[in-house]
Amino acid sequence: MTNRRDAERRIHALRDAINHHNYRYYALDDPEVPDSEYDRLLQELRALEREFPGLVTPDSPTQRVGAAPLREFGEIRHEVPMLSLDNAFSEEEVRAFDRRVRERLEENGEIEYMAEPKLDGLAISLVYERGVFMRGVTRGDGSTGEDVTQNVRTISSIPLRLMGKGFPMLLEVRGEVYMPREGFEALNQRAAQRNEKTFANPRNAAAGSLRQLDARITAERPLEFFAYGCGKVSAAALPQRHSAVLAHLRAWGLRINSENRAVRGAEGCLGYYRDMAAKRTALPYQIDGVVYKVDRVDLQQKLGFVARAPRWAVAHKFPAEEAMTVLRAVEFQVGRTGALTPVARLQPVFVGGATVSNATLHNMDEVERKDVRVGDTVMVRRAGDVIPEVAGVVLAKRPRDAKRVHLPHKCPVCGSEVVRPEGGAVARCTGGLYCAAQRKELIRHFASRRALDIEGLGEKLVDQLVKAGLVATVADIFTLTVPQLAGLERMGEKSALNLVAAIEKARHTALPRFLYALGIREVGEATAETLARHFGTLQALMAADENVLQQVPDVGPVVAAAVAAFFREPHNREVISAVRKAGVHWPEQSGTRLPGAGPLSGRSFVLTGTLSGMTREAAGERIRTLGGKVSGSVSKKTDFLVAGSEPGSKLAAAQKLGVTILDERAFLDLLQE
Ligand code: IVH
């Protein structure tokens, strides 16, 4: 296309189309075209703009990346100050807020509020003039912020040009720039791989990314934006309700959170809070609470402001998931597989609704990457039900005498050598089952609810049993007697009897549970289930070598190697045999091994009467080795009934259902075939 007029027309059409698709994708979360089509349009636009550089405008969708690095950010005064919100930390405080609002307004009825998630990112002001994005400024101290326009341009969910009609000549949009969880994890993972510093949380990552002097770096960061209000707006009046303002912003192409709700009264607010608290971990972004805003703008104006916050809104915070405290010591725990986990001993701190004095440091790689030292002030995270962790160090508070953390050379439990494979994150004790820690962990795991489910055999009791020398391997559990147990500290006759009964009950189990209970490295519940279903019997599984194991669907080389190694180990075979001798059993299955490979696979047999040449058991075994299934009763799914002499009622049942009936001769012929 060489004609400038045509090019100009096409450029406009392309920009409109791209802006429209951006809007569908980001603001409405409802794209109309696949990504490839969007990319094609963008490429065509880029090519045309290259050909006609005079036609490039700052609001073109091509202008999102690549501005040259700045030396520093300019400072910009906010024409309307950017305020913050008062916080409420309890239901009582929310009710008090609502009461104050009603009293000031002399209102007896319920107030209408807009309830919104409180995004955990950073506040930003976006200025649009005649619908074109002009400026992006951080909140700063509320009156003056930093000019981050170049960086804001790189955020795809911020439109460079407003859509539709009716927007004011000057429109200042306010909202939150944040980093979605997924993008945050990926960013940190990449940083970790390159041995670079990671961000402690998505909020820090968002702030760090937006305040980059080099916009090309910001462009690579997964930042997103939600609008939650307006600042300075020129004459054209906006609607008289906050909810309607948000609806307008959405129509003009800005992204509005779809979790926003209109609610009534304090109870409506609290209901929203509970809903969001329950949803919180499932959201793709981090929120630290919810915000309630009086919806009617005239009422907002009547209420006005105190100091730095409006009287018409409040932030109802979730219990903080992060807190600062001092790292007093680092100790190493030895797990079931011998892995040494560094554990932080902390000055107790209230975080995420509980007092935390221990937190995981995961592994030595993490300790080194985060450069955690004893004496440091650290950020502790406790989100939902996950184990509290040390998220990062507050370097500014590092004392002079902070001590580096060293991996011990010897296992703190058994004194065996500790090895850390070259480049590996995990250090392990080489003591194996000689190491009491590993033994204890295995015993506890063996007895746990999802394994053999021995009620009452918890951590403390396992410690006692191992210490007293009553239990060295899991097989010893089954030799425990009431007098032995009753002799232990804090153990009465009654609990001893209960425990022996629970052990008795656990003797009858299922193969997947038993496999899981063995604590084979890499074998969790799902893999145990897969292996049990595939092989049917423990013997078959134990006989399988790595190659055979790898043929099992969902079993890769790592799992196959771990399983084969486990069963090769004579000690493990001994323990298994002792456990079985102690009466642990489960119903044997036929397995789905080599599906389609056996000539009888997919065929279902029922046996009845007496065969002259072999026992019924032997016949069943023959069928199973050829891939067939044997079941105890006739149903529509039965393919063959093998009838010996003096058949039982199964014969009549089979005749009634039209099942093929084989006498001994025919059966032998079939096996021959
Ligand atoms: S409204 C005058 N709405 O929370 C009202 N703020 O402490 C100003 N925030 O700096 C804010 N989500 O960065 C509002 N839905 C939301 C919000 C929100 C997050 C942040 C905002 C502000 C801080 C207030």
Side-chain angles (χ1 to χ4, degrees), residues 433 442 473-475 514 518 570-581:
L433 290 179
L442 176 63
T473 76
V474 293
F514 183 74
L518 290 174
H571 174 85
N572 291 336
R573 301 182 83 102
E574 277 162 32
V575 171
I576 290 170
S577 133
V579 170
R580 296 194 83 174
K581 276 212 192 90

Coordinates of all heavy atoms in Angstrom, one line a residue, residues 433 442 473-475 514 518 570-581:
L433 N 17.2 -45.7 57.1 CA 16.3 -46.1 58.3 C 17.1 -46.2 59.5 O 16.6 -46.5 60.6 CB 15.5 -47.3 57.9 CG 14.4 -47.0 56.9 CD1 13.7 -48.3 56.5 CD2 13.5 -45.9 57.3
L442 N 8.6 -42.1 58.8 CA 8.0 -43.1 58.0 C 6.8 -43.8 58.8 O 5.8 -44.1 58.3 CB 9.0 -44.1 57.6 CG 8.4 -45.3 56.8 CD1 7.8 -44.8 55.5 CD2 9.4 -46.4 56.5
T473 N 10.7 -50.7 63.0 CA 10.2 -50.6 61.6 C 8.7 -50.7 61.7 O 8.1 -51.0 62.7 CB 10.6 -51.9 60.8 OG1 9.8 -53.0 61.2 CG2 12.1 -52.2 61.0
V474 N 8.0 -50.4 60.6 CA 6.5 -50.3 60.6 C 6.0 -51.7 60.9 O 4.9 -51.8 61.5 CB 6.0 -49.8 59.2 CG1 6.3 -48.4 59.0 CG2 6.4 -50.7 58.1
A475 N 6.7 -52.8 60.7 CA 6.2 -54.1 61.0 C 6.0 -54.3 62.5 O 5.1 -55.0 63.0 CB 7.1 -55.2 60.4
F514 N -1.9 -49.2 51.0 CA -0.7 -49.8 51.4 C 0.6 -49.3 50.7 O 1.6 -49.0 51.3 CB -0.8 -51.4 51.3 CG 0.4 -52.1 51.8 CD1 0.6 -52.2 53.2 CD2 1.4 -52.6 51.0 CE1 1.7 -52.9 53.7 CE2 2.5 -53.3 51.5 CZ 2.6 -53.4 52.9
L518 N 3.8 -47.1 52.3 CA 5.2 -47.5 52.3 C 6.2 -46.3 52.2 O 7.4 -46.4 52.5 CB 5.5 -48.4 51.1 CG 4.9 -49.8 51.3 CD1 5.1 -50.7 50.0 CD2 5.4 -50.6 52.5
P570 N 16.8 -54.9 49.9 CA 16.4 -56.1 50.7 C 15.7 -55.7 52.0 O 14.7 -56.3 52.3 CB 17.7 -56.7 51.0 CG 18.7 -56.2 50.0 CD 18.2 -54.8 49.6
H571 N 16.2 -54.6 52.6 CA 15.5 -54.2 53.9 C 14.0 -53.9 53.7 O 13.2 -54.4 54.5 CB 16.2 -53.0 54.4 CG 15.6 -52.4 55.6 ND1 15.8 -52.9 56.9 CD2 14.6 -51.5 55.8 CE1 15.1 -52.2 57.8 NE2 14.3 -51.4 57.1
N572 N 13.7 -53.3 52.6 CA 12.3 -52.9 52.3 C 11.5 -54.2 52.1 O 10.4 -54.3 52.5 CB 12.2 -52.0 51.1 CG 12.8 -50.6 51.5 OD1 12.8 -50.2 52.6 ND2 13.2 -49.9 50.4
R573 N 12.1 -55.2 51.3 CA 11.4 -56.4 51.1 C 11.1 -57.2 52.4 O 10.1 -57.7 52.6 CB 12.2 -57.3 50.1 CG 12.4 -56.6 48.8 CD 13.2 -57.5 47.8 NE 12.3 -58.4 47.1 CZ 11.8 -58.2 45.9 NH1 12.3 -57.2 45.2 NH2 11.0 -59.1 45.3
E574 N 12.1 -57.1 53.3 CA 11.9 -57.8 54.6 C 10.8 -57.2 55.3 O 10.0 -57.9 55.9 CB 13.2 -57.7 55.4 CG 14.3 -58.7 55.1 CD 15.6 -58.3 55.6 OE1 15.7 -57.6 56.7 OE2 16.7 -58.6 55.0
V575 N 10.8 -55.8 55.4 CA 9.8 -55.2 56.2 C 8.4 -55.5 55.6 O 7.4 -55.8 56.3 CB 10.0 -53.6 56.2 CG1 8.8 -52.9 56.8 CG2 11.2 -53.3 57.0
I576 N 8.3 -55.5 54.2 CA 7.0 -55.8 53.6 C 6.5 -57.2 54.0 O 5.4 -57.4 54.3 CB 7.1 -55.6 52.1 CG1 7.2 -54.1 51.7 CG2 5.9 -56.2 51.4 CD1 7.5 -53.9 50.3
S577 N 7.5 -58.1 53.9 CA 7.1 -59.5 54.2 C 6.7 -59.6 55.7 O 5.8 -60.3 56.0 CB 8.3 -60.4 53.7 OG 8.6 -61.3 54.7
A578 N 7.4 -58.9 56.6 CA 7.0 -59.0 58.0 C 5.7 -58.4 58.2 O 4.9 -58.9 59.0 CB 8.1 -58.2 58.8
V579 N 5.4 -57.3 57.5 CA 4.0 -56.7 57.7 C 3.0 -57.6 57.2 O 1.9 -57.8 57.8 CB 4.0 -55.3 56.9 CG1 2.6 -54.8 56.8 CG2 4.9 -54.3 57.5
R580 N 3.2 -58.3 56.1 CA 2.2 -59.2 55.6 C 2.0 -60.4 56.5 O 0.9 -60.9 56.7 CB 2.5 -59.7 54.2 CG 2.5 -58.5 53.2 CD 2.5 -59.0 51.8 NE 1.2 -59.3 51.3 CZ 0.9 -59.6 50.1 NH1 1.9 -59.7 49.2 NH2 -0.3 -59.9 49.7
K581 N 3.2 -60.9 57.0 CA 3.1 -62.0 58.0 C 2.3 -61.6 59.2 O 1.6 -62.4 59.9 CB 4.5 -62.4 58.4 CG 5.2 -63.4 57.5 CD 6.1 -64.3 58.2 CE 6.9 -65.1 57.2 NZ 8.2 -64.3 56.9

